[in-house]
Amino acid sequence: MITTAFTRRFALATPVVGAPMAGVAGGALARAVSLGGGLGMIGVGSATPASFVVEQCAIPRGDGLPFGVGLMAWALPDRPELLEATIEATPDLVSVSFGDPAPWVPRLHDAGITVAAQVNTVADLHRALAAGVDVVVAQGSEAGGHTGHRATLPLLQEVLALTDRPVLAAGGIATGAGMAAALAAGAAGVWIGTPLLSCPEGLNSPAARQRVRAANGEETVLTRAFDVAEGVAWPERWPGRALVNDFSRAWHGREDELVHDADARQLVVDGRRTGDPATAPVYAGEAVGLVTTEHSATEVVRELDAGAELALRAVAGLLG
């Protein structure tokens, strides 16, 4: 068993956290990750109804499993009910990321909830530490979904040098060997999203899962085009890494023009509604080429853990 400060804090069998991917990570996926010995999280988007939070959190909580909820700091001022619903659901962990977590940390701590924050720069780290977060997630640009512009390993090393709080590594980790590398660098765990995109417990469509399995690592793009098309108010400093498709080929880098093209923007809206991966965003990280089969998230977590243990034992053998 791999034991770290993070596993001890939550009594986990493995230091694996399922990233709170909005639109993918609901209660069933969180439950499956936690059944595998990790900590599953539920993703909450800026337009997510508060009722979704309540309903989805009840799924892992009903089995007495540890779970978490991911909130976006930039969305909370206009959606305070999302924080209220999250606190009511009594998760073990809440991440407040993509913005200043300071206004929200005291309420969560008062409720006895551990708080994490994803950071993409050293400045983000200092802000999160000043806010009093308990766990830091160093998220590199290899990650799928919205992210920053620093690579995972350099950012992770800087973050580890600047704090003694548990640090999780996110971005580009999809195998036991990758997990072992992060742990060997000093991370207390890994925060994974892309390896879970093909799991049947996800909220994404079968077509999206198939597209993930067919993709290779060169088929992603870090772009704002989908946010502009959908009119989502994501701050510009966090573009989204998604699989390349017909829409991104046409509009990535032309976001200023896209703002004024209602017909083009409608293509993404319609693609979301119909589940067409040719126009709808399928957010995935650079490790997507390693995701080739459809397995339960429980199995994915267990395979990661077993592979990491083998890799760590092999590395220890180098010292002999």
Side-chain angles (χ1 to χ4, degrees), residues 60-319:
R61 178 60 76 205
D63 289 330
L65 295 167
F67 74 97
V69 174
L71 302 173
M72 299 182 299
W74 65 264
L76 288 178
D78 294 328
R79 299 292 314 281
E81 68 274 18
L82 295 177
L83 181 71
E84 300 303 326
T86 296
I87 292 173
E88 182 71 21
T90 64
D92 299 274
L93 177 69
V94 170
S95 66
V96 183
S97 305
F98 307 109
D100 187 0
W104 325 109
V105 172
R107 286 286 316 281
L108 292 163
H109 279 169
D110 287 347
I113 297 170
T114 298
V115 183
Q118 295 182 75
V119 302
N120 307 102
T121 65
V122 170
D124 289 343
L125 171 66
H126 290 312
R127 182 170 62 179
L129 295 177
V133 303
D134 308 292
V135 177
V136 175
V137 183
Q139 186 205 41
S141 64
E142 299 96 320
H146 291 83
T147 186
H149 300 273
R150 295 284 313 273
T152 301
L153 186 56
L155 178 64
L156 174 64
Q157 292 172 89
E158 284 197 62
V159 170
L160 287 166
L162 292 169
T163 181
D164 58 0
R165 297 177 204 182
V167 176
L168 308 181
I173 300 165
T175 65
M179 176 175 163
L183 295 173
V190 295
W191 179 279
I192 62 165
T194 298
L196 303 175
L197 289 175
S198 183
C199 298
E201 298 92 351
L203 298 173
N204 52 344
S205 69
R209 295 198 291 272
Q210 176 57 42
R211 177 69 185 96
V212 165
R213 293 192 294 273
N216 63 58
E218 288 76 45
E219 290 185 80
T220 73
V221 60
L222 192 60
T223 185
R224 293 184 56 248
F226 295 113
D227 288 335
V228 171
E230 296 187 273
V232 181
W234 267 95
E236 290 189 17
R237 62 162 291 201
W238 290 293
R241 184 171 296 283
L243 297 182
V244 172
N245 64 9
D246 293 345
F247 185 84
S248 68
R249 290 187 188 96
W251 289 102
H252 172 55
R254 300 172 59 202
E255 287 82 1
D256 290 344
E257 298 174 55
L258 182 58
V259 171
H260 304 291
D261 193 324
D263 290 339
R265 297 198 309 274
Q266 190 63 39
L267 291 173
V268 178
V269 175
D270 291 343
R272 281 281 200 187
R273 178 174 49 80
T274 62
D276 182 2
T279 54
V282 177
Y283 289 111
E286 290 186 348
V288 69
L290 296 164
V291 183
T292 58
T293 56
E294 184 173 74
H295 291 313
S296 165
T298 301
E299 186 175 349
V300 169
V301 172
R302 288 174 177 167
E303 288 179 354
L304 275 173
D305 180 69
E309 185 169 347
L310 285 174
L312 289 169
R313 291 185 187 280
V315 169
L318 295 175
L319 299 176

Side-chain angles (χ1 to χ4, degrees), residues 18-30 41-44 52 56 201-204:
M21 301 174 287
V24 177
L29 187 64
M41 296 194 73
I42 293 163
V44 179
F52 173 91
Q56 297 302 309
E201 298 92 351
L203 298 173
N204 52 344

Side-chain angles (χ1 to χ4, degrees), residues 3-76:
T3 303
T4 70
F6 188 80
T7 61
R8 288 190 291 271
R9 185 169 195 135
F10 295 100
L12 304 177
T14 185
V16 176
V17 178
M21 301 174 287
V24 177
L29 187 64
R31 175 182 180 274
V33 169
S34 295
L35 282 172
L39 193 148
M41 296 194 73
I42 293 163
V44 179
S46 59
T48 300
S51 59
F52 173 91
V53 179
V54 176
E55 294 162 2
Q56 297 302 309
C57 288
I59 297 173
R61 178 60 76 205
D63 289 330
L65 295 167
F67 74 97
V69 174
L71 302 173
M72 299 182 299
W74 65 264
L76 288 178

